[in-house]
């Protein structure tokens, strides 16, 4: 059933679990994620990010995923992740996405707050939830280089931003980065604890691919309500296609194998995040 992000995350802090956003870009990935959610009775968040739009347009992703989300037997939020371009975020709202992220985290605090507040009003008027980001989670190139440039989230800034912007979820910077890690990342769990103690808004961890299961559990225990995953599932899908391809086996024969690989990877993370049985 299609559900907004605010509803899906409502009891995560109280019951000490997190819901995964599993970015998906193909039918096989989407089917695998939803199959894992239904089998494990877990709420789930799916959808593309702006950086993934070269693969398909927002309208095409909506055509693919909205119907699947509505037919699912568990709560599903269709989320447009890391929307930097306001016109695209507004388009996602019009297309029926039940959640959007408007990422202005590279802008000064005041400008980030102003733009997020305006977009939150637009989203809420359409029954859509809005996620924002404060601090900055690095991306592109080496994850370690990105972490070195991370601006950690200040707890008091998080409280003020959430209260004044009207966002429904807030991504915070605690030492992760988008990309593949060459070395073990060092999470600032003390920073997370201070943010969670200060700010009641559901908190989001980005740059999750590459963290250990113990890292994820520590983040959930520390107050994270939503965890973003793409690289794990993307690599699982690619490996399945590579490992099972033969000159005689075409795309049609590979589709169920890719779906099953993504389902297994997603199910593992749902168990780690503690979201199983919460639907």
């Amino acid at each position: 059933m299609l559900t907004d992000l605010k509803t899906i995350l409502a009891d995560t802090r109280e019951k000490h679990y997190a819901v995964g956003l599993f970015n998906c870009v193909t039918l096989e990935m989407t089917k695998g994620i939803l199959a894992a959610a239904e089998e494990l009775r877990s709420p789930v968040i799916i959808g593309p990010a702006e950086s993934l739009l070269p693969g398909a347009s927002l309208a095409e992703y909506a055509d693919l995923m909205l119907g699947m989300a509505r037919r699912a037997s568990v709560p599903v939020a269709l989320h447009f992740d890391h929307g930097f371009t306001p016109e695209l975020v507004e388009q996602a709202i019009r297309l029926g996405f039940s959640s959007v992220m408007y990422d202005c985290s590279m802008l000064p605090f005041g400008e980030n707050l102003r733009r997020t507040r305006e977009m939150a009003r637009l989203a809420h008027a359409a029954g859509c939830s809005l996620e924002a980001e404060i601090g900055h989670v690095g991306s592109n190139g080496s994850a370690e280089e990105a972490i070195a440039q991370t601006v950690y989230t200040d707890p008091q800034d998080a409280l003020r931003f959430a209260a004044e912007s009207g966002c429904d979820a807030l991504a915070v910077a605690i030492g992760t980065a988008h990309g593949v890690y060459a070395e073990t990342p060092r999470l600032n769990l003390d920073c997370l604890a201070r943010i969670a103690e200060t700010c009641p808004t559901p908190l989001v961890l980005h740059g999750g691919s590459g963290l250990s299961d113990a890292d994820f559990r520590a983040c959930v225990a520390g107050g994270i309500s939503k965890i973003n995953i793409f690289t794990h599932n993307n690599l699982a899908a690619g490996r399945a296609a590579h490992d099972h391809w033969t000159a005689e086996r075409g795309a049609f024969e590979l589709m169920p194998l890719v779906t099953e690989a993504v389902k297994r990877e997603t199910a593992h993370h749902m168990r780690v995040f503690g979201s199983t049985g919460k639907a």
Side-chain angles (χ1 to χ4, degrees), residues 48 53 56-63 80 87-89 91-92 95 97:
L53 291 183
S57 69
L58 265 176
E60 289 167 333
Y61 281 126
D63 288 343
F80 179 43
E87 292 80 9
L88 288 173
V89 178
Q91 183 187 9
L95 285 168
F97 280 68

Side-chain angles (χ1 to χ4, degrees), residues 5 9 112 130-134 153 157-159 161-162 165 167-172 195 199 201-206 224:
L5 185 69
L9 300 182
N112 185 0
L130 184 130
E131 176 185 333
E133 182 173 320
I134 186 173
T153 301
D157 285 347
L159 176 62
F161 188 94
S165 72
C167 67
D168 301 293
L170 185 63
V172 294
I195 296 168
C199 180
T201 300
L203 303 177
V204 182
L205 180 72
H206 287 200
I224 290 293

Side-chain angles (χ1 to χ4, degrees), residues 247-261:
E248 293 76 30
R249 180 177 278 161
F252 180 75
E253 288 79 13
L254 290 175
M255 288 172 67
L257 300 171
V258 171
T259 295
E260 182 60 29

Side-chain angles (χ1 to χ4, degrees), residues 25-181:
V25 294
T26 67
L27 172 63
E28 294 78 22
M29 293 181 76
T30 308
K31 287 178 65 177
I33 294 163
L34 293 179
E38 292 188 318
E39 184 173 298
L40 297 178
R41 307 311 300 166
S42 171
V44 69
I45 308 159
I46 62 171
E50 181 168 335
S51 63
L52 302 176
L53 291 183
S57 69
L58 265 176
E60 289 167 333
Y61 281 126
D63 288 343
L64 170 65
M65 297 175 187
L66 268 174
M68 296 175 73
R70 290 178 177 133
R71 288 190 297 273
S73 62
V74 295
V76 181
L78 179 57
H79 180 77
F80 179 43
D81 193 28
H82 280 293
F84 301 99
T85 308
E87 292 80 9
L88 288 173
V89 178
E90 292 172 13
Q91 183 187 9
I93 294 169
R94 291 194 302 271
L95 285 168
F97 280 68
S98 62
S99 174
V100 293
M101 180 190 183
Y102 188 31
D103 187 351
C104 302
S105 60
M106 292 296 289
L107 298 174
F109 181 94
E111 185 65 10
N112 185 0
L113 176 58
R114 184 188 68 80
R115 293 192 185 196
T116 301
R117 184 166 50 222
E118 291 177 357
M119 192 65 75
R121 288 173 182 155
L122 183 65
H124 292 159
C128 177
S129 298
L130 184 130
E131 176 185 333
E133 182 173 320
I134 186 173
H136 179 62
V137 179
S139 61
N140 298 323
S142 163
E144 286 69 34
E145 291 174 2
I147 289 171
Q149 300 172 5
T150 293
V151 178
Y152 290 97
T153 301
D154 177 85
Q156 290 299 324
D157 285 347
L159 176 62
R160 179 189 166 197
F161 188 94
E164 296 185 15
S165 72
C167 67
D168 301 293
L170 185 63
V172 294
I174 59 168
T176 57
H178 300 289
V180 178
Y181 295 95

Side-chain angles (χ1 to χ4, degrees), residues 14-26:
E14 175 190 353
K15 296 185 177 178
H16 307 292
Y17 72 98
V19 180
L21 160 64
F22 300 93
N23 290 131
C24 42
V25 294
T26 67

